[in-house]
Amino acid sequence: MEESTFDPDLIHAIFKLEWTRRSLEREKNESSDAMDCEVDAGTSKKSRPMSANANALKLSSKLLQIFVSEAVQRAATIAEAEGISRIEATHLERILPQLLLDF
Amino acid sequence: METGMEEDDSTAELLRDRFRLSAISIAEAEAKRSGMEISVPVMTCVAELAFKYTKQLAKDLELFAHHGGRKSVNTEDVILSAHRNEHLAASLSSFCHELKTKEPQSERKRKKAPKKEDKSAIHITDA
């Protein structure tokens, strides 16, 4: 069975969306600083498009896959210690603080 | 401008849903591998966490690349984003090395030992 993982293209799309959102936000801040100018924040072009290379995206997908796997494995360990074969929300709650510190 | 924003919202939602589906399938596979069942709210929660983490990662990578005077994110930026966790960083750099050495081949399945003794430490054994 093939190991399930995130599609690097999907990760790229999410990254690009976030970068565009951030650059729009920056533009908005800049244009509100220069209030005396005409208000055309929406029409100005993106000044600095960020991109990512293929290996970086594959690596990011891997990182996110590790994140999800770790969350499940750690919760599974807690559930197992309690003698329950089903991972419940309480198990996730137990491992969450350390998980978030580790990533 | 408003229609543009709406389009953005709908693509954002689509991406989020696609991401969640992948995250849930990964979580399910992982639970199956350790012989456990996993409840739906846990998977949804993990998926949401991973999505938020992705957005944070996007911000980090942008800042790192920008600081390096680049307009493109490279593998070093990704490894740098995991620098607080030495095991994770080491695991990522070995995966990166794998990617570089055999570019045309599909990525080899990495062996991840589901060790049970140390739950607070990261489980990935790097080579």
Side-chain angles (χ1 to χ4, degrees), chain A residues 4-5 8 10 18 22 26 28 32 37 40 43 49 53-54 58 61 75 96-97 100:
Chain A
S4 50
T5 177
L10 173 63
E18 186 67 12
R22 276 172 50 78
R26 266 198 304 271
K28 209 183 271 176
S32 63
C37 299
D40 58 350
T43 54
N53 72 31
K58 279 185 198 159
S61 311
L96 202 53
L100 294 183

Side-chain angles (χ1 to χ4, degrees), chain A residues 19 22 51 53 73 85 87, chain B residues 30 37 39 58 62 71 73:
Chain A
W19 291 333
R22 276 172 50 78
S51 68
N53 72 31
Q73 279 186 18
S85 70
I87 302 165
Chain B
E30 200 60 43
E37 273 182 76
S39 68
E62 184 185 20
K71 280 191 174 184
V73 173

Side-chain angles (χ1 to χ4, degrees), chain B residues 51-65:
Chain B
F51 188 67
K52 286 193 175 158
Y53 182 57
T54 311
K55 290 204 279 190
Q56 187 61 48
L57 187 64
K59 190 176 166 184
D60 283 354
L61 293 177
E62 184 185 20
L63 290 173
F64 290 163

